[in-house]
Amino acid sequence: MKPSFEKYIPFKQINLPDRQWPNNTITKAPIWCSVDLRDGNQALVDPMNLEEKLEFFHALCDMGFKEIEIGFPSASETEYEICRELIENNHIPDDVTIQVLVQAREHLIRKTFEAVKGAKNVIVHFYNSTSTLQRKVVFKTDMDGVIKIAVDGAKLIKQLTDEYDGDTNFRFEYSPESFSGTEPENAVEICDRVIEALGSTAENKLIVNLPNTVEMCTPNTYADQIEYFARNLKHRDAAIISIHPHNDRGCGVAAGELALLAGAERVEGTLFGNGERTGNMDIVTMGLNMFTQGVDPKLDFSNLPKLREIYERCTNMKIDPRQPYIGELVFTAFSGSHQDAINKGMKYMKESGTEYWEIPYLPIDPADVGREYEPIIRINSQSGKGGAAFVMNNNFGYDLPKRMHPEFSKLVQAKCEELGRELIPKELFEVFEKNYLEHKQKYVLSSRKIYEESENGNDYVHFKGKMKINGNEEVSLSGVGNGPIDAFFNAIKKVGLDKYEFISYSQHAISQGSDSKAVSYIELKKPDGKSIFGIGIDSNVNVASVLGVLNAINRAEA
């Protein structure tokens, strides 16, 4: 054997110089078929029991799936019993078609027809492997032998359908398993032969499913295979082109999307990409990719957290924190620049009244999938100035002025580094409380009075009160100014606090109703030339601003 990478055979490309799929756009949803209960279930360490399968089946119906592959009823008694339970106890809605998988082998096909007796709508999905490698290594036969297996299976299925005593609406699906590893011309030939054996027509089409059973090539090459197949199939009008991508190269969704551009009309996949090896194509990701492009996926993804709970409980599989749309961290920004952009996007959405979702770094509104805004920005030592401010505003209603962001951010980063982890919103607010609202007070107002006076057309504000220093000494304060802050500054200058300079001020309400309160953010320049912020809260806006000044001085002299 050759060493290292040299032992692998490069995938043979399709000669399709006039390919059309790159010029196409996805404008509508495909026919979706969930294979969670078959392909997904068979890949579990502990397959779902009857109760779990029933719950999962009903969840798929609630999402809007109209075609659901429920299992391989001829493979085991358990699978057979689940099929019978669904039929006999009326679990299947009238507009939902169950799909059953079976190898193109006589005794398995006959048992499959027994398993579905009494169902209203059934797709019998039969298959045999056609790939070059499996013909050589597994079956040791040529293409003629593989075609005979498929055609014989098709003839038996047609015969059993004709002989069937009941009113079941049968449809058929054929998969040349490992399609992507089959020579394109051979894949076309075997499917044409199956269509002929079944007598499929434009009015009664065969679902021709082209599985990327093992993802062997780049998504664009898979798209070339699909377009080649659709162009060259003799009985194209009698076929619905279906795809079944797997994710061995990590490109299952991309392969599925490009296959739709190339002419596929139907997609088989699973929720969150569960399936053999690295999984099947993730229908949730593909569907929501369409959703974010203004295309209705025709499936209900409005409560992904509920779907996640059902999925993880029934399969014992865990969804990765980075899984698109549903992972714990996908709507989370730690980077400072990302946090700032999201924060500005939120403000733009609120202020502009735009009809469209226009927020940087968030390709979808979390609310559209049942997620919440709160977790979007999370705080760690790498977070930027705007991140902590966003959480304070979004979670607690404190709209910190932009000039205050750097100061508060340093306090938050110091706490993150002390703990060695991110802060949850509650802990972030505790940093705010400790450093501002509950800060040690050297100076405390024991009484206060603020009133206005007009004289000779001029308006003045008076401040009078008493202030304790270090809890003991009490001094009287009196000052006049053009506003409450100016009056208070003039009052405290008389008792030695004359080295602080007022820089900026902002204020907003933090509650509503008769007990509403205002919060004031005051920025002062300290004697050393650096700035510091203080916060005051009171039901009286003038008092809140005065308390903010005193809070800044107390913080400066701590």
Side-chain angles (χ1 to χ4, degrees), residues 1-272:
M1 183 185 295
K2 291 186 175 183
S4 188
F5 65 89
E6 295 177 6
K7 66 175 176 277
Y8 298 103
I9 303 170
F11 193 85
K12 185 178 180 181
Q13 300 300 303
I14 307 298
N15 183 22
L16 200 67
D18 59 341
R19 59 181 59 82
Q20 297 300 305
W21 64 261
N23 302 319
N24 297 333
T25 304
I26 297 173
T27 57
K28 65 177 183 178
I31 301 165
W32 299 106
C33 177
S34 161
V35 295
D36 289 270
L37 301 181
R38 198 277 303 168
D39 212 342
N41 187 59
Q42 75 182 35
L44 299 176
V45 175
D46 297 307
M48 288 182 269
N49 59 34
L50 174 61
E51 290 73 22
E52 290 166 339
K53 264 203 165 185
L54 290 176
E55 181 180 6
F56 213 111
F57 177 82
H58 287 296
L60 293 170
C61 292
D62 291 342
M63 287 182 68
F65 282 98
K66 301 305 179 187
E67 297 180 4
I68 301 172
E69 189 165 270
I70 61 168
F72 202 142
S74 63
S76 72
E77 195 59 31
T78 299
E79 292 285 283
Y80 185 93
E81 289 174 358
I82 288 171
C83 181
R84 295 311 306 163
E85 167 67 26
L86 286 169
I87 296 167
E88 292 173 4
N89 288 302
N90 300 314
H91 292 282
I92 308 167
D94 288 344
D95 62 345
V96 171
T97 299
I98 59 169
Q99 179 169 300
V100 287
L101 185 69
V102 61
Q103 290 178 339
R105 298 169 63 185
E106 181 177 354
H107 70 288
L108 297 178
I109 291 172
R110 290 185 181 278
K111 186 167 185 180
T112 298
F113 271 79
E114 294 174 12
V116 300
K117 192 170 182 62
K120 183 174 182 179
N121 299 300
V122 176
I123 295 171
V124 177
H125 178 191
F126 67 108
Y127 73 96
N128 64 313
S129 188
T130 60
S131 73
T132 308
L133 183 61
Q134 292 218 34
R135 295 199 314 264
K136 179 174 72 173
V137 174
V138 179
F139 301 110
K140 295 180 171 49
T141 187
D142 57 14
M143 194 63 201
D144 287 340
V146 169
I147 290 174
K148 184 177 186 306
I149 293 171
V151 170
D152 287 349
K155 288 179 178 177
L156 177 59
I157 286 171
K158 186 175 188 305
Q159 175 191 329
L160 294 176
T161 304
D162 292 341
E163 296 172 353
Y164 183 78
D165 181 19
D167 57 359
T168 299
N169 174 32
F170 280 108
R171 294 161 59 204
F172 309 117
E173 175 176 347
Y174 172 68
S175 290
E177 191 197 5
S178 300
F179 159 80
S180 52
T182 304
E183 304 90 339
E185 62 278 9
N186 283 338
V188 169
E189 181 182 0
I190 194 170
C191 290
D192 266 326
R193 294 282 297 277
V194 168
I195 289 172
E196 291 165 0
L198 286 169
S200 300
T201 64
E203 292 72 35
N204 187 21
K205 297 184 179 186
L206 171 68
I207 299 169
V208 178
N209 191 48
L210 306 177
N212 214 358
T213 309
V214 178
E215 190 177 33
M216 305 170 69
C217 59
T218 53
N220 62 298
T221 302
Y222 183 55
D224 281 348
Q225 290 179 307
I226 300 300
E227 183 170 333
Y228 176 95
F229 182 92
R231 280 196 203 179
N232 290 278
L233 189 68
K234 183 168 58 175
H235 301 292
R236 176 66 183 88
D237 64 332
I240 295 170
I241 305 298
S242 176
I243 57 170
H244 183 109
H246 275 254
N247 200 44
D248 297 86
R249 293 166 56 95
C251 300
V253 170
E257 290 175 334
L258 297 195
L260 288 185
L261 299 180
E265 305 155 272
R266 181 178 183 270
V267 175
E268 295 188 346
T270 59
L271 301 187
F272 311 121

Side-chain angles (χ1 to χ4, degrees), residues 505-521:
Y505 157 83
S506 63
Q507 189 177 72
H508 65 81
I510 53 172
S511 59
Q512 296 179 343
S514 59
D515 61 344
S516 64
K517 291 186 177 182
V519 57
S520 292
Y521 307 93

Side-chain angles (χ1 to χ4, degrees), residues 440-499:
K440 182 180 178 181
Q441 300 182 69
K442 179 180 179 180
Y443 306 103
V444 179
L445 288 176
S446 51
S447 66
R448 61 186 182 251
K449 181 179 181 181
I450 301 172
Y451 60 94
E452 297 180 4
E453 182 181 39
S454 180
E455 184 177 328
N456 298 324
N458 297 314
D459 294 327
Y460 302 97
V461 175
H462 292 260
F463 178 88
K464 289 187 177 182
K466 292 183 179 181
M467 181 174 70
K468 286 187 176 182
I469 303 174
N470 290 322
N472 298 314
E473 179 186 358
E474 187 173 62
V475 296
S476 296
L477 301 176
S478 178
V480 181
N482 56 22
I485 295 175
D486 188 40
F488 183 65
F489 254 100
N490 290 332
I492 61 177
K493 284 178 181 178
K494 297 176 183 178
V495 295
L497 294 175
D498 57 355
K499 294 182 174 60

